[in-house]
PDB file of all heavy atoms in Angstrom:
ATOM      1  N   LEU A  28      12.525   3.611   2.566  1.00  0.00           N
ATOM      2  CA  LEU A  28      11.241   3.382   3.230  1.00  0.00           C
ATOM      3  C   LEU A  28      11.076   1.908   3.569  1.00  0.00           C
ATOM      4  O   LEU A  28      10.522   1.556   4.618  1.00  0.00           O
ATOM      5  CB  LEU A  28      10.094   3.847   2.333  1.00  0.00           C
ATOM      6  CG  LEU A  28       8.691   3.736   2.930  1.00  0.00           C
ATOM      7  CD1 LEU A  28       8.595   4.457   4.262  1.00  0.00           C
ATOM      8  CD2 LEU A  28       7.658   4.292   1.957  1.00  0.00           C
ATOM      9  N   CYS A  29      11.575   1.046   2.707  1.00  0.00           N
ATOM     10  CA  CYS A  29      11.506  -0.396   2.955  1.00  0.00           C
ATOM     11  C   CYS A  29      12.283  -0.751   4.224  1.00  0.00           C
ATOM     12  O   CYS A  29      11.815  -1.556   5.041  1.00  0.00           O
ATOM     13  CB  CYS A  29      12.060  -1.151   1.755  1.00  0.00           C
ATOM     14  SG  CYS A  29      11.923  -2.949   1.882  1.00  0.00           S
ATOM     15  N   ARG A  30      13.447  -0.143   4.401  1.00  0.00           N
ATOM     16  CA  ARG A  30      14.240  -0.386   5.613  1.00  0.00           C
ATOM     17  C   ARG A  30      13.517   0.132   6.846  1.00  0.00           C
ATOM     18  O   ARG A  30      13.541  -0.499   7.909  1.00  0.00           O
ATOM     19  CB  ARG A  30      15.600   0.299   5.483  1.00  0.00           C
ATOM     20  CG  ARG A  30      16.513  -0.304   4.417  1.00  0.00           C
ATOM     21  CD  ARG A  30      17.796   0.477   4.307  1.00  0.00           C
ATOM     22  NE  ARG A  30      18.607   0.044   3.176  1.00  0.00           N
ATOM     23  CZ  ARG A  30      19.725   0.635   2.785  1.00  0.00           C
ATOM     24  NH1 ARG A  30      20.172   1.694   3.476  1.00  0.00           N
ATOM     25  NH2 ARG A  30      20.399   0.210   1.754  1.00  0.00           N
ATOM     26  N   ALA A  31      12.875   1.306   6.706  1.00  0.00           N
ATOM     27  CA  ALA A  31      12.156   1.886   7.836  1.00  0.00           C
ATOM     28  C   ALA A  31      10.953   1.033   8.225  1.00  0.00           C
ATOM     29  O   ALA A  31      10.601   0.933   9.404  1.00  0.00           O
ATOM     30  CB  ALA A  31      11.702   3.302   7.482  1.00  0.00           C
ATOM     31  N   LEU A  32      10.333   0.391   7.248  1.00  0.00           N
ATOM     32  CA  LEU A  32       9.158  -0.442   7.496  1.00  0.00           C
ATOM     33  C   LEU A  32       9.518  -1.797   8.094  1.00  0.00           C
ATOM     34  O   LEU A  32       8.689  -2.433   8.746  1.00  0.00           O
ATOM     35  CB  LEU A  32       8.384  -0.670   6.190  1.00  0.00           C
ATOM     36  CG  LEU A  32       7.598   0.513   5.628  1.00  0.00           C
ATOM     37  CD1 LEU A  32       7.233   0.248   4.177  1.00  0.00           C
ATOM     38  CD2 LEU A  32       6.346   0.766   6.455  1.00  0.00           C
ATOM     39  N   ALA A  33      10.741  -2.218   7.871  1.00  0.00           N
ATOM     40  CA  ALA A  33      11.158  -3.591   8.194  1.00  0.00           C
ATOM     41  C   ALA A  33      10.857  -4.007   9.623  1.00  0.00           C
ATOM     42  O   ALA A  33      10.397  -5.124   9.876  1.00  0.00           O
ATOM     43  CB  ALA A  33      12.642  -3.759   7.901  1.00  0.00           C
ATOM     44  N   ASP A  34      11.091  -3.131  10.579  1.00  0.00           N
ATOM     45  CA  ASP A  34      10.932  -3.491  11.995  1.00  0.00           C
ATOM     46  C   ASP A  34       9.643  -2.936  12.603  1.00  0.00           C
ATOM     47  O   ASP A  34       9.545  -2.751  13.813  1.00  0.00           O
ATOM     48  CB  ASP A  34      12.136  -2.987  12.793  1.00  0.00           C
ATOM     49  CG  ASP A  34      13.437  -3.648  12.363  1.00  0.00           C
ATOM     50  OD1 ASP A  34      13.381  -4.834  11.992  1.00  0.00           O
ATOM     51  OD2 ASP A  34      14.475  -2.968  12.391  1.00  0.00           O
ATOM     52  N   THR A  35       8.653  -2.666  11.754  1.00  0.00           N
ATOM     53  CA  THR A  35       7.387  -2.135  12.246  1.00  0.00           C
ATOM     54  C   THR A  35       6.255  -3.105  11.937  1.00  0.00           C
ATOM     55  O   THR A  35       6.442  -4.100  11.224  1.00  0.00           O
ATOM     56  CB  THR A  35       7.058  -0.782  11.591  1.00  0.00           C
ATOM     57  OG1 THR A  35       6.709  -0.997  10.210  1.00  0.00           O
ATOM     58  CG2 THR A  35       8.246   0.161  11.668  1.00  0.00           C
ATOM     59  N   GLU A  36       5.076  -2.796  12.454  1.00  0.00           N
ATOM     60  CA  GLU A  36       3.890  -3.620  12.189  1.00  0.00           C
ATOM     61  C   GLU A  36       3.346  -3.406  10.788  1.00  0.00           C
ATOM     62  O   GLU A  36       2.380  -4.065  10.377  1.00  0.00           O
ATOM     63  CB  GLU A  36       2.805  -3.289  13.218  1.00  0.00           C
ATOM     64  CG  GLU A  36       2.456  -1.814  13.280  1.00  0.00           C
ATOM     65  CD  GLU A  36       1.699  -1.472  14.540  1.00  0.00           C
ATOM     66  OE1 GLU A  36       1.008  -2.355  15.075  1.00  0.00           O
ATOM     67  OE2 GLU A  36       1.797  -0.316  15.001  1.00  0.00           O
ATOM     68  N   TYR A  37       3.970  -2.486  10.046  1.00  0.00           N
ATOM     69  CA  TYR A  37       3.509  -2.187   8.689  1.00  0.00           C
ATOM     70  C   TYR A  37       4.444  -2.752   7.618  1.00  0.00           C
ATOM     71  O   TYR A  37       4.435  -2.311   6.469  1.00  0.00           O
ATOM     72  CB  TYR A  37       3.394  -0.677   8.497  1.00  0.00           C
ATOM     73  CG  TYR A  37       2.597   0.018   9.567  1.00  0.00           C
ATOM     74  CD1 TYR A  37       3.169   1.041  10.329  1.00  0.00           C
ATOM     75  CD2 TYR A  37       1.284  -0.345   9.834  1.00  0.00           C
ATOM     76  CE1 TYR A  37       2.432   1.691  11.320  1.00  0.00           C
ATOM     77  CE2 TYR A  37       0.550   0.300  10.824  1.00  0.00           C
ATOM     78  CZ  TYR A  37       1.131   1.309  11.554  1.00  0.00           C
ATOM     79  OH  TYR A  37       0.406   1.946  12.533  1.00  0.00           O
ATOM     80  N   ALA A  38       5.247  -3.735   7.963  1.00  0.00           N
ATOM     81  CA  ALA A  38       6.273  -4.268   7.059  1.00  0.00           C
ATOM     82  C   ALA A  38       5.700  -4.758   5.736  1.00  0.00           C
ATOM     83  O   ALA A  38       6.360  -4.658   4.691  1.00  0.00           O
ATOM     84  CB  ALA A  38       7.029  -5.395   7.749  1.00  0.00           C
ATOM     85  N   GLU A  39       4.478  -5.271   5.736  1.00  0.00           N
ATOM     86  CA  GLU A  39       3.899  -5.817   4.503  1.00  0.00           C
ATOM     87  C   GLU A  39       3.645  -4.747   3.443  1.00  0.00           C
ATOM     88  O   GLU A  39       3.447  -5.060   2.267  1.00  0.00           O
ATOM     89  CB  GLU A  39       2.597  -6.551   4.792  1.00  0.00           C
ATOM     90  CG  GLU A  39       1.495  -5.700   5.397  1.00  0.00           C
ATOM     91  CD  GLU A  39       0.266  -6.522   5.756  1.00  0.00           C
ATOM     92  OE1 GLU A  39      -0.525  -6.824   4.847  1.00  0.00           O
ATOM     93  OE2 GLU A  39       0.113  -6.856   6.942  1.00  0.00           O
ATOM     94  N   ILE A  40       3.640  -3.475   3.846  1.00  0.00           N
ATOM     95  CA  ILE A  40       3.450  -2.394   2.878  1.00  0.00           C
ATOM     96  C   ILE A  40       4.594  -2.359   1.867  1.00  0.00           C
ATOM     97  O   ILE A  40       4.451  -1.845   0.759  1.00  0.00           O
ATOM     98  CB  ILE A  40       3.340  -1.033   3.601  1.00  0.00           C
ATOM     99  CG1 ILE A  40       2.064  -0.991   4.451  1.00  0.00           C
ATOM    100  CG2 ILE A  40       3.328   0.128   2.614  1.00  0.00           C
ATOM    101  CD1 ILE A  40       1.878   0.299   5.223  1.00  0.00           C
ATOM    102  N   SER A  41       5.731  -2.940   2.217  1.00  0.00           N
ATOM    103  CA  SER A  41       6.903  -2.943   1.334  1.00  0.00           C
ATOM    104  C   SER A  41       6.599  -3.551  -0.031  1.00  0.00           C
ATOM    105  O   SER A  41       7.277  -3.257  -1.018  1.00  0.00           O
ATOM    106  CB  SER A  41       8.055  -3.711   1.989  1.00  0.00           C
ATOM    107  OG  SER A  41       8.454  -3.101   3.194  1.00  0.00           O
ATOM    108  N   SER A  42       5.571  -4.378  -0.109  1.00  0.00           N
ATOM    109  CA  SER A  42       5.234  -5.052  -1.365  1.00  0.00           C
ATOM    110  C   SER A  42       4.763  -4.084  -2.448  1.00  0.00           C
ATOM    111  O   SER A  42       4.773  -4.422  -3.636  1.00  0.00           O
ATOM    112  CB  SER A  42       4.154  -6.112  -1.131  1.00  0.00           C
ATOM    113  OG  SER A  42       2.962  -5.518  -0.635  1.00  0.00           O
ATOM    114  N   VAL A  43       4.350  -2.863  -2.066  1.00  0.00           N
ATOM    115  CA  VAL A  43       3.864  -1.902  -3.060  1.00  0.00           C
ATOM    116  C   VAL A  43       4.924  -0.853  -3.401  1.00  0.00           C
ATOM    117  O   VAL A  43       4.646   0.085  -4.157  1.00  0.00           O
ATOM    118  CB  VAL A  43       2.580  -1.191  -2.570  1.00  0.00           C
ATOM    119  CG1 VAL A  43       1.496  -2.198  -2.263  1.00  0.00           C
ATOM    120  CG2 VAL A  43       2.861  -0.306  -1.356  1.00  0.00           C
ATOM    121  N   LEU A  44       6.119  -1.008  -2.862  1.00  0.00           N
ATOM    122  CA  LEU A  44       7.162  -0.009  -3.081  1.00  0.00           C
ATOM    123  C   LEU A  44       7.859  -0.199  -4.418  1.00  0.00           C
ATOM    124  O   LEU A  44       8.877  -0.884  -4.538  1.00  0.00           O
ATOM    125  CB  LEU A  44       8.179  -0.058  -1.931  1.00  0.00           C
ATOM    126  CG  LEU A  44       7.640   0.315  -0.555  1.00  0.00           C
ATOM    127  CD1 LEU A  44       8.736   0.237   0.485  1.00  0.00           C
ATOM    128  CD2 LEU A  44       7.012   1.699  -0.571  1.00  0.00           C
ATOM    129  N   GLU A  45       7.284   0.406  -5.426  1.00  0.00           N
ATOM    130  CA  GLU A  45       7.874   0.417  -6.764  1.00  0.00           C
ATOM    131  C   GLU A  45       7.504   1.725  -7.453  1.00  0.00           C
ATOM    132  O   GLU A  45       6.599   2.432  -7.005  1.00  0.00           O
ATOM    133  CB  GLU A  45       7.375  -0.775  -7.585  1.00  0.00           C
ATOM    134  CG  GLU A  45       5.872  -0.840  -7.731  1.00  0.00           C
ATOM    135  CD  GLU A  45       5.431  -2.074  -8.483  1.00  0.00           C
ATOM    136  OE1 GLU A  45       6.282  -2.938  -8.741  1.00  0.00           O
ATOM    137  OE2 GLU A  45       4.239  -2.152  -8.832  1.00  0.00           O
ATOM    138  N   ASN A  46       8.223   2.052  -8.515  1.00  0.00           N
ATOM    139  CA  ASN A  46       8.040   3.331  -9.202  1.00  0.00           C
ATOM    140  C   ASN A  46       8.280   4.478  -8.213  1.00  0.00           C
ATOM    141  O   ASN A  46       9.033   4.325  -7.267  1.00  0.00           O
ATOM    142  CB  ASN A  46       6.642   3.408  -9.822  1.00  0.00           C
ATOM    143  CG  ASN A  46       6.393   2.302 -10.825  1.00  0.00           C
ATOM    144  OD1 ASN A  46       7.256   1.996 -11.635  1.00  0.00           O
ATOM    145  ND2 ASN A  46       5.217   1.687 -10.772  1.00  0.00           N
ATOM    146  N   THR A  47       7.644   5.615  -8.430  1.00  0.00           N
ATOM    147  CA  THR A  47       7.837   6.744  -7.514  1.00  0.00           C
ATOM    148  C   THR A  47       6.934   6.599  -6.301  1.00  0.00           C
ATOM    149  O   THR A  47       5.847   6.044  -6.391  1.00  0.00           O
ATOM    150  CB  THR A  47       7.498   8.066  -8.224  1.00  0.00           C
ATOM    151  OG1 THR A  47       6.138   8.016  -8.681  1.00  0.00           O
ATOM    152  CG2 THR A  47       8.423   8.308  -9.400  1.00  0.00           C
ATOM    153  N   THR A  48       7.399   7.107  -5.168  1.00  0.00           N
ATOM    154  CA  THR A  48       6.620   6.999  -3.933  1.00  0.00           C
ATOM    155  C   THR A  48       6.699   8.287  -3.127  1.00  0.00           C
ATOM    156  O   THR A  48       7.777   8.825  -2.890  1.00  0.00           O
ATOM    157  CB  THR A  48       7.132   5.841  -3.056  1.00  0.00           C
ATOM    158  OG1 THR A  48       7.065   4.617  -3.787  1.00  0.00           O
ATOM    159  CG2 THR A  48       6.278   5.714  -1.791  1.00  0.00           C
ATOM    160  N   ALA A  49       5.517   8.759  -2.713  1.00  0.00           N
ATOM    161  CA  ALA A  49       5.427   9.867  -1.765  1.00  0.00           C
ATOM    162  C   ALA A  49       4.697   9.340  -0.542  1.00  0.00           C
ATOM    163  O   ALA A  49       3.819   8.484  -0.649  1.00  0.00           O
ATOM    164  CB  ALA A  49       4.685  11.049  -2.375  1.00  0.00           C
ATOM    165  N   PHE A  50       5.086   9.841   0.611  1.00  0.00           N
ATOM    166  CA  PHE A  50       4.586   9.299   1.870  1.00  0.00           C
ATOM    167  C   PHE A  50       3.974  10.423   2.704  1.00  0.00           C
ATOM    168  O   PHE A  50       4.619  11.441   2.956  1.00  0.00           O
ATOM    169  CB  PHE A  50       5.751   8.652   2.608  1.00  0.00           C
ATOM    170  CG  PHE A  50       5.365   7.908   3.851  1.00  0.00           C
ATOM    171  CD1 PHE A  50       4.177   7.217   3.949  1.00  0.00           C
ATOM    172  CD2 PHE A  50       6.220   7.904   4.949  1.00  0.00           C
ATOM    173  CE1 PHE A  50       3.829   6.534   5.104  1.00  0.00           C
ATOM    174  CE2 PHE A  50       5.888   7.224   6.107  1.00  0.00           C
ATOM    175  CZ  PHE A  50       4.688   6.539   6.187  1.00  0.00           C
ATOM    176  N   ALA A  51       2.727  10.244   3.117  1.00  0.00           N
ATOM    177  CA  ALA A  51       2.036  11.243   3.942  1.00  0.00           C
ATOM    178  C   ALA A  51       1.656  10.615   5.274  1.00  0.00           C
ATOM    179  O   ALA A  51       1.100   9.514   5.302  1.00  0.00           O
ATOM    180  CB  ALA A  51       0.786  11.754   3.235  1.00  0.00           C
ATOM    181  N   VAL A  52       1.958  11.304   6.369  1.00  0.00           N
ATOM    182  CA  VAL A  52       1.589  10.793   7.689  1.00  0.00           C
ATOM    183  C   VAL A  52       0.858  11.880   8.469  1.00  0.00           C
ATOM    184  O   VAL A  52       1.181  13.061   8.372  1.00  0.00           O
ATOM    185  CB  VAL A  52       2.821  10.321   8.491  1.00  0.00           C
ATOM    186  CG1 VAL A  52       3.436   9.100   7.862  1.00  0.00           C
ATOM    187  CG2 VAL A  52       3.850  11.430   8.618  1.00  0.00           C
ATOM    188  N   SER A  53      -0.130  11.455   9.224  1.00  0.00           N
ATOM    189  CA  SER A  53      -0.897  12.366  10.076  1.00  0.00           C
ATOM    190  C   SER A  53      -0.726  11.938  11.525  1.00  0.00           C
ATOM    191  O   SER A  53      -0.845  10.753  11.838  1.00  0.00           O
ATOM    192  CB  SER A  53      -2.377  12.343   9.692  1.00  0.00           C
ATOM    193  OG  SER A  53      -3.123  13.180  10.552  1.00  0.00           O
ATOM    194  N   HIS A  54      -0.458  12.892  12.400  1.00  0.00           N
ATOM    195  CA  HIS A  54      -0.226  12.586  13.813  1.00  0.00           C
ATOM    196  C   HIS A  54      -1.436  12.898  14.686  1.00  0.00           C
ATOM    197  O   HIS A  54      -1.407  12.626  15.888  1.00  0.00           O
ATOM    198  CB  HIS A  54       0.988  13.364  14.312  1.00  0.00           C
ATOM    199  CG  HIS A  54       2.255  13.004  13.607  1.00  0.00           C
ATOM    200  ND1 HIS A  54       2.973  11.865  13.879  1.00  0.00           N
ATOM    201  CD2 HIS A  54       2.919  13.629  12.598  1.00  0.00           C
ATOM    202  CE1 HIS A  54       4.036  11.802  13.090  1.00  0.00           C
ATOM    203  NE2 HIS A  54       4.020  12.858  12.310  1.00  0.00           N
ATOM    204  N   GLU A  55      -2.491  13.475  14.096  1.00  0.00           N
ATOM    205  CA  GLU A  55      -3.663  13.835  14.890  1.00  0.00           C
ATOM    206  C   GLU A  55      -4.955  13.293  14.297  1.00  0.00           C
ATOM    207  O   GLU A  55      -5.678  12.551  14.943  1.00  0.00           O
ATOM    208  CB  GLU A  55      -3.749  15.361  15.032  1.00  0.00           C
ATOM    209  CG  GLU A  55      -2.589  15.963  15.804  1.00  0.00           C
ATOM    210  CD  GLU A  55      -2.731  17.459  15.967  1.00  0.00           C
ATOM    211  OE1 GLU A  55      -3.746  18.015  15.494  1.00  0.00           O
ATOM    212  OE2 GLU A  55      -1.831  18.081  16.557  1.00  0.00           O
ATOM    213  N   ASP A  56      -5.257  13.686  13.060  1.00  0.00           N
ATOM    214  CA  ASP A  56      -6.506  13.281  12.412  1.00  0.00           C
ATOM    215  C   ASP A  56      -6.250  12.048  11.545  1.00  0.00           C
ATOM    216  O   ASP A  56      -5.543  12.126  10.546  1.00  0.00           O
ATOM    217  CB  ASP A  56      -7.031  14.426  11.547  1.00  0.00           C
ATOM    218  CG  ASP A  56      -8.435  14.167  11.016  1.00  0.00           C
ATOM    219  OD1 ASP A  56      -8.857  12.993  11.018  1.00  0.00           O
ATOM    220  OD2 ASP A  56      -9.105  15.124  10.607  1.00  0.00           O
ATOM    221  N   PRO A  57      -6.812  10.887  11.875  1.00  0.00           N
ATOM    222  CA  PRO A  57      -6.557   9.661  11.108  1.00  0.00           C
ATOM    223  C   PRO A  57      -7.151   9.662   9.710  1.00  0.00           C
ATOM    224  O   PRO A  57      -6.771   8.834   8.880  1.00  0.00           O
ATOM    225  CB  PRO A  57      -7.205   8.572  11.973  1.00  0.00           C
ATOM    226  CG  PRO A  57      -8.236   9.277  12.767  1.00  0.00           C
ATOM    227  CD  PRO A  57      -7.681  10.638  13.051  1.00  0.00           C
ATOM    228  N   VAL A  58      -8.053  10.594   9.433  1.00  0.00           N
ATOM    229  CA  VAL A  58      -8.740  10.614   8.138  1.00  0.00           C
ATOM    230  C   VAL A  58      -8.156  11.659   7.182  1.00  0.00           C
ATOM    231  O   VAL A  58      -8.292  11.539   5.973  1.00  0.00           O
ATOM    232  CB  VAL A  58     -10.250  10.871   8.342  1.00  0.00           C
ATOM    233  CG1 VAL A  58     -10.992  10.891   7.023  1.00  0.00           C
ATOM    234  CG2 VAL A  58     -10.857   9.821   9.260  1.00  0.00           C
ATOM    235  N   ALA A  59      -7.499  12.669   7.711  1.00  0.00           N
ATOM    236  CA  ALA A  59      -7.071  13.829   6.924  1.00  0.00           C
ATOM    237  C   ALA A  59      -6.249  13.470   5.692  1.00  0.00           C
ATOM    238  O   ALA A  59      -6.575  13.890   4.574  1.00  0.00           O
ATOM    239  CB  ALA A  59      -6.283  14.796   7.814  1.00  0.00           C
ATOM    240  N   ALA A  60      -5.189  12.708   5.854  1.00  0.00           N
ATOM    241  CA  ALA A  60      -4.309  12.371   4.726  1.00  0.00           C
ATOM    242  C   ALA A  60      -5.051  11.586   3.660  1.00  0.00           C
ATOM    243  O   ALA A  60      -4.950  11.872   2.458  1.00  0.00           O
ATOM    244  CB  ALA A  60      -3.110  11.570   5.228  1.00  0.00           C
ATOM    245  N   ALA A  61      -5.827  10.584   4.076  1.00  0.00           N
ATOM    246  CA  ALA A  61      -6.569   9.753   3.124  1.00  0.00           C
ATOM    247  C   ALA A  61      -7.592  10.578   2.351  1.00  0.00           C
ATOM    248  O   ALA A  61      -7.735  10.432   1.128  1.00  0.00           O
ATOM    249  CB  ALA A  61      -7.271   8.614   3.865  1.00  0.00           C
ATOM    250  N   LYS A  62      -8.297  11.455   3.039  1.00  0.00           N
ATOM    251  CA  LYS A  62      -9.346  12.256   2.405  1.00  0.00           C
ATOM    252  C   LYS A  62      -8.769  13.193   1.343  1.00  0.00           C
ATOM    253  O   LYS A  62      -9.283  13.286   0.221  1.00  0.00           O
ATOM    254  CB  LYS A  62     -10.105  13.040   3.466  1.00  0.00           C
ATOM    255  CG  LYS A  62     -11.348  13.757   2.953  1.00  0.00           C
ATOM    256  CD  LYS A  62     -12.116  14.398   4.090  1.00  0.00           C
ATOM    257  CE  LYS A  62     -12.817  13.361   4.937  1.00  0.00           C
ATOM    258  NZ  LYS A  62     -13.912  12.659   4.212  1.00  0.00           N
ATOM    259  N   ILE A  63      -7.695  13.896   1.693  1.00  0.00           N
ATOM    260  CA  ILE A  63      -7.085  14.857   0.762  1.00  0.00           C
ATOM    261  C   ILE A  63      -6.454  14.147  -0.438  1.00  0.00           C
ATOM    262  O   ILE A  63      -6.655  14.534  -1.597  1.00  0.00           O
ATOM    263  CB  ILE A  63      -6.038  15.715   1.488  1.00  0.00           C
ATOM    264  CG1 ILE A  63      -6.711  16.590   2.546  1.00  0.00           C
ATOM    265  CG2 ILE A  63      -5.267  16.584   0.500  1.00  0.00           C
ATOM    266  CD1 ILE A  63      -5.748  17.329   3.441  1.00  0.00           C
TER     267      ILE A  63
END
């Protein structure tokens, strides 16, 4: 995930990548993933 983030505008998120990580993305509703 750190490599995938490297060339994006979200590269700074790499600082929290420790322990276990699950990744959720929403392509339509910007609130859905955060709310659930």
